[in-house]
Amino acid sequence: MTGNTPIREDELHAFIDGALDAARMPAMEAALAADPALAERAARFADDRWMLKQVYGPLGDAPVPPQ
């Protein structure tokens, strides 16, 4: 992500999920600040993540059926 290296989709999702390697955070934050389209895309993914958590979150606490 340094220089002109494009942001990969998996890195963007890791950033949104709070799982991006700490060493990559400054470059990701700089890329988001420099690219409004990328920042908007990240915001939409974050909104989707929030909505899915609201709808399906309770299922994460349910036991997995044996079948």
Side-chain angles (χ1 to χ4, degrees), residues 10-55:
D10 64 315
E11 293 172 323
L12 186 59
H13 285 282
F15 173 76
I16 292 163
D17 292 341
L20 186 64
D21 187 304
R24 304 288 273 169
M25 288 296 289
M28 176 63 79
E29 290 168 348
L32 291 169
D35 185 346
L38 180 64
E40 175 61 26
R41 200 163 105 227
R44 286 187 311 228
F45 285 148
D47 288 347
D48 288 347
R49 182 180 189 273
W50 178 87
M51 187 254 336
L52 289 168
K53 189 171 183 170
Q54 298 306 306
V55 172

